[in-house]
Amino acid sequence: ASSPERVAALATSAKVSPKRCVAILLSALGSHEPRVRAAALELAARTESPELTKALIARLREAPDDQKASLVRTLGQRGDKAALPAILPLLDAKDQGVRIAAIEALATLGDATTVEKLLSVAATETGATQAAARRTLALVEAAGADARLRGFARHPDPRIRAEAIQALAARGATAATPTFLAATTDPDAQVRRAAVEAVAQLGTDKDFQPLLSAWLAAKEPGDLPAFEKALTAIAQRAGDK
């Protein structure tokens, strides 16, 4: 049958028989026709079935590298956390596309313990891989993620501290403002500036005085523009109330 016919058959199967659809989807994923594989992945992302999750994980383990990234994305879209143990090893995959797909899948599949790995990637990688880790840290839905990030804002490695603060700000974690204020006097310039920018983004009028005190105590001239920008942002928000 032609590709359009097979895609239509898949769609019909998914609507009328979800259980039978698992076998059909797996068969379609092995097709040499890109349109059929794409249709199968799209349907797999929308089909709720623990058995399908298991089957996709098994397919992932034996899939060629050029198909792994799409399988990982599908598992991430499904949101079945049973797939997490299969995704974690791919954070160290040699293929960048697979690595990025695995990182992004953690937004829905990750738990609070994956925050540390994401912070490590964000702190040590560059380019698209670093950007993916930062996006995922901002989006990860795991319970306790903000608390873990607040803990890592006190990590011995200043790169980790800075990334944790940036992630909390990106998540809109207003409860972390005391953490940001404390970090405005951090020994590391990158951490200080990340903290000041976080206060600029999320601080309220009650944070103005503590930030002003930190600004007056600042010893590095390079820090002053960020402090001034943050103080102005808070004052403007207070004036808009």
Side-chain angles (χ1 to χ4, degrees):
S2 65
S3 292
E5 291 169 341
R6 293 179 68 185
V7 171
L10 278 171
T12 303
S13 172
K15 291 176 183 176
V16 302
S17 179
K19 291 183 179 180
R20 181 169 173 264
C21 186
V22 173
I24 296 175
L25 286 173
L26 291 177
S27 175
L29 287 173
S31 171
H32 295 297
E33 299 176 54
R35 287 186 64 188
V36 173
R37 291 200 304 271
L41 288 168
E42 183 179 347
L43 289 168
R46 304 197 307 263
T47 302
E48 295 184 13
S49 166
E51 292 305 314
L52 180 56
T53 299
K54 293 176 184 176
L56 289 171
I57 291 170
R59 177 60 59 92
L60 176 63
R61 293 193 180 108
E62 58 191 40
D65 284 346
D66 63 351
Q67 294 182 22
K68 281 184 177 178
S70 58
L71 284 166
V72 170
R73 284 192 291 270
T74 297
L75 286 164
Q77 291 164 0
R78 288 170 55 75
D80 186 342
K81 293 183 182 296
L84 180 60
I87 299 299
L88 288 175
L90 298 179
L91 296 175
D92 299 314
K94 293 181 180 179
D95 184 279
Q96 186 184 39
V98 175
R99 285 194 75 195
I100 289 174
I103 289 167
E104 292 176 339
L106 295 185
T108 52
L109 300 180
D111 56 28
T113 65
T114 59
V115 165
E116 182 173 9
K117 181 63 176 177
L118 289 168
L119 284 172
S120 177
V121 173
T124 60
E125 296 286 345
T126 59
T129 303
Q130 182 186 59
R134 287 174 172 172
R135 285 195 305 272
T136 301
L137 282 165
L139 295 171
V140 66
E141 301 169 356
D146 284 359
R148 294 279 291 186
L149 285 166
R150 288 197 298 272
F152 281 113
R154 298 186 293 274
H155 193 275
D157 186 335
R159 297 173 301 173
I160 297 292
R161 295 200 298 275
E163 292 293 341
I165 290 168
Q166 290 174 19
L168 284 163
R171 293 171 66 81
T174 54
T177 302
T179 299
F180 304 151
L181 288 168
T184 59
T185 59
D186 192 277
D188 184 84
Q190 181 184 7
V191 176
R192 289 195 304 274
R193 290 170 194 174
V196 174
E197 288 173 6
V199 178
Q201 182 177 336
L202 300 178
T204 64
D205 52 353
K206 69 181 177 59
D207 303 311
F208 187 90
Q209 189 59 49
L211 188 64
L212 179 63
S213 298
W215 174 56
L216 293 173
K219 298 178 181 179
E220 295 293 334
D223 292 348
L224 299 182
F227 273 106
E228 291 163 3
K229 181 179 177 181
L231 288 165
T232 300
I234 292 174
Q236 288 177 340
R237 281 199 292 273
D240 291 340
K241 289 183 177 178

